[in-house]
Amino acid sequence: MGSSAAAARRAHAIGPCLSGVLLGAALQLQQPALGSLATYAGLGFAGVLGLVFGLRLKATSQARALTLLAAAGVLCFAGTGWRACAYLAEGLDPALEGEDLVVTGVVAALPHRGELGLRFRFEVESALRDGHAVRLPPQLMLGWYGGSDAHGEALPDPQRGPPELHAGERWRFAVRVRAPHGTVNPYGFDYELWLWEQGVQATGTVRAGARDPPPRRLAQTWRHPVERARQAVREAIERQVPDPATAGILAALVAGDQGAIERADWDVFRATGVAHLMSISGLHITMFAWVASALVGRAWRRSPRLCLAWPAQHAGLAGGVLLAAAYALFSGWGVPAQRTVLMLATVAALRLGARSWPWPWVWLLACAVVVAADPWALTQAGFWLSFVAVGVLFASGPAHAAEREHPRGLARRALAAGVAMAREQAVVTVALTPLTLLLFHQVSLVGLLANLLAIPWVTLVVTPLGLAGVLLPWAWTGAAGAVDLLATVLRAFAALPLATWSAPAPPAWAAAAGLVGGVLLATRLPWSLRVAGVPLLLPVLLWQAPRPPPGEFELLAADVGQGNAVLVRTATHALVYDAGPALGSESDAGQRVLVPLLRALGERVDLVVLSHRDSDHTGGAGAVLRMQPQAQVLGSLEAGHPLQALRPIRRCSAGQRWQWDGVDFEVLHPAAADYDAPARPNAMSCVLRVGNARVRALLAGDIEGPQEALLALRPGGVRADWLLVPHHGSRTSSSDAFLDAVRPALGVVQAGYRNRFGHPAAPVVARYAARGIPLWLTPACGALTWRSRVPGEVRCERAAVPRYWHHRVADAAQDGA
């Protein structure tokens, strides 16, 4: 009786403790700033005392459950905060930003080569500034570019092109580093959180100009052998498979190099809902563990002595997890792979310990173990998709093994397996649709069929052939053929008119209701209960994002780095003014920022205005126009510009006017005659004024002093309350006469953090400050939202959704004081 009572006490403690771990981590991740180490130490001590006290209470009492829940939550909250404080203590000294440093260290991971240069992780051993030792964070994310920077712009001083780097090599070179700073936008990718998860606390650029110390390869070390092996496999695949796109997919599946997949292929995979298959994901590692477990168990049974020492079932389970961990390690030991290995190890430990827990506890334990090891996993879409999918499969499957059918005959077993797989895929698709809409604001309508074809093909044909190629390189030729065949089918699916469906981002309550509705529909409940999930799905499917009322408008200046991109919204219309910079052909602000933003808001763009041809204004236009096929384009781009082939571009010229929902739009520059004389692109910037009877906004592109002088003398004036600061705050713009004519209540500078142009220039900042005009800078503010209904209010995304892992910059508003 004593042992059964103790078991009951433990059972009643498990649920509250595991739930407390999840709750404590979730609450800590919402903190805008960290406390002190002493605070977290005190909370941790209190959590331990609470656990001890709670375990002594009556097993079935509600007070015991609440005490254990709170104590476990406080303990996890404190542990997560302590780890975050310790991590930040190793951060970059702000005094070293932008300084010329000479660093020595080791290439720590697989380098990624793009059209502009190399990106690689660097493990710092020592650093010097002017010959004196300085401390840098342990790991840097470095770029090594040739004659262009990360945006494709020519560098002012010629740079030596990057050589072939290999993991494990020790190098010494000059660098300039900066804090881990990314763009912050509504519904956008959190680059700073990604760097935090990777353990990178500074980024930088290798300096290899004529005035810099020449880079030197010092030695090949024995460090990072797995990364060296991954690089060797990737290079071997590239030699064996002539098509770079196919080779990139194989490199992702075999060596975990997701960066090798081309952007066009990623677009197809996302549209067909199979993107999770095209890298070494949790599915691959789980399948690998299952096959490895079966093979190890079968081999173990051949030896009676081994079976007497340890049951073959246990040996197979342990061997499968260990081999899966080795596979995950070879894949680069990414965060999703780590989560999967932890989950598999947790379930295996329960089975090896002969623990027969109900599936909700097994699921909850796996979640809690992963979150305890990596609390920041709760911020990742992959965590939620993986664990919700597993939970749904648990809930919708047979309650007992005896309920499963075991048909005789190979053909019948294969048919039953196919039917079971189709059912499971359908169940997961239904249950995850609301969550997918919440996370990505888009679902693939062909995803169910595409996954039914792609999952067995990738897991049973492509991946085994790819892995076999490590020993037998000719197998990669067969794998490449299998990849090409699958890609052909997926492209046909992606080309269908209704391949994807997008919906505005629902609020949290609607998303939660939709998720419950999807789970209800997927579970093995009576249909009379399942149909209750349908009305719960409706808020997600029918939600419409709030819009300005008639006669009012809203401006959202996106955080796109060094470039311009402004979304103008009225009651029923939308305009995009410029589309931000390109980062080579691999990425651009349209793909990274504007497309997710427009999708989350449910916007149907009527007009795209491209002020002039410079790439920091047009770089993302292609992605926006492909997403918005109905959008017309207005701009000053020449007839031969590549974007003209994507969509005809009408010339913008002074005097063009239109009205949407009681809001007036007017082009003020350039004049039609300006197109007849050669001029610099900046001088041809389309200047657009938007306003109603009370307030106006002026979007000025990259105009400079001469164009500003003409506008200042314009009949009717250029008065505006909101000003997009010309040319990002360049010293050639924002002249005294122009500012006196516009008299804005505020100015917005869209520029990159620590950009090499020095925007906004100090004299320009001083001119605004002398007139009492506050400047709002996107590097400090993030995306900025302004509404004509409340012209005195400005919403900064960094201030509205503060997180302690975000880089703190000086005040978003500068008044020059």
Side-chain angles (χ1 to χ4, degrees), residues 291-435:
V291 173
S293 178
L295 293 177
V296 170
R298 186 170 183 177
W300 198 272
R301 290 185 181 91
R302 292 180 176 274
S303 171
R305 181 176 299 178
L306 290 176
C307 288
L308 289 174
W310 205 24
Q313 184 179 5
H314 290 180
L317 187 60
V321 172
L322 289 174
L323 289 173
Y327 180 41
L329 186 65
F330 182 75
S331 76
W333 199 239
V335 175
Q338 296 174 33
R339 290 198 294 261
T340 303
V341 171
L342 276 174
M343 181 179 69
L344 291 173
T346 300
V347 175
L350 286 176
R351 291 192 176 182
L352 292 175
R355 307 290 184 187
S356 181
W357 286 13
W359 75 259
W361 283 8
V362 175
W363 180 79
L364 194 59
L365 176 63
C367 289
V369 168
V370 170
V371 169
D374 177 19
W376 299 276
L378 287 171
T379 64
Q380 305 298 314
F383 171 88
W384 293 102
L385 291 172
S386 298
F387 276 102
V388 170
V390 170
V392 167
L393 290 176
F394 269 134
S396 63
H400 305 285
E403 298 179 23
R404 298 188 180 95
E405 297 180 1
H406 300 282
R408 295 181 178 181
L410 181 61
R412 290 185 177 181
R413 286 200 299 269
L415 178 61
V419 171
M421 178 182 169
R423 177 190 172 279
E424 290 176 356
Q425 186 61 43
V427 164
V428 169
T429 299
V430 171
L432 291 187
T433 294
L435 184 59

Side-chain angles (χ1 to χ4, degrees), residues 75-94:
L75 187 58
C76 188
F77 182 96
T80 303
W82 178 284
R83 291 168 58 184
C85 286
Y87 178 77
L88 285 180
E90 295 183 328
L92 178 68
D93 181 355

Side-chain angles (χ1 to χ4, degrees), residues 139-232:
Q139 288 199 72
L140 308 176
M141 185 69 75
L142 296 179
W144 191 338
Y145 308 106
S148 302
D149 63 9
H151 299 277
E153 299 289 340
L155 293 169
D157 51 337
Q159 301 282 305
R160 301 179 182 91
E164 287 296 329
L165 294 185
H166 294 87
E169 290 181 338
R170 178 175 286 114
W171 280 80
R172 179 186 297 132
F173 36 56
V175 300
R176 286 182 185 169
V177 296
R178 68 178 194 173
H181 187 93
T183 59
V184 177
N185 292 279
Y187 315 106
F189 175 68
D190 194 337
Y191 178 66
E192 294 172 29
L193 176 61
W194 181 83
L195 289 175
W196 178 287
E197 283 268 66
Q198 305 302 313
V200 174
Q201 293 177 280
T203 62
T205 306
V206 175
R207 304 291 300 167
R211 293 173 292 181
D212 300 304
R216 289 184 57 192
R217 180 186 181 276
L218 301 179
Q220 174 68 61
T221 72
W222 287 100
R223 290 157 65 176
H224 306 293
V226 173
E227 295 297 321
R228 291 205 311 273
R230 293 177 64 218
Q231 188 167 359

Side-chain angles (χ1 to χ4, degrees), residues 64-113:
R64 182 178 194 248
L66 292 176
T67 301
L68 292 176
L69 175 70
V74 169
L75 187 58
C76 188
F77 182 96
T80 303
W82 178 284
R83 291 168 58 184
C85 286
Y87 178 77
L88 285 180
E90 295 183 328
L92 178 68
D93 181 355
L96 298 179
E97 286 196 276
E99 294 291 311
D100 288 321
L101 309 175
V102 177
V103 299
T104 302
V106 176
V107 180
L110 192 69
H112 294 280
R113 180 175 289 276

Side-chain angles (χ1 to χ4, degrees), residues 425-451:
Q425 186 61 43
V427 164
V428 169
T429 299
V430 171
L432 291 187
T433 294
L435 184 59
T436 304
L437 282 175
L438 174 66
L439 296 172
F440 305 114
H441 323 300
Q442 175 180 280
V443 291
S444 173
L445 299 182
V446 298
L448 176 59
L449 179 58
N451 274 281

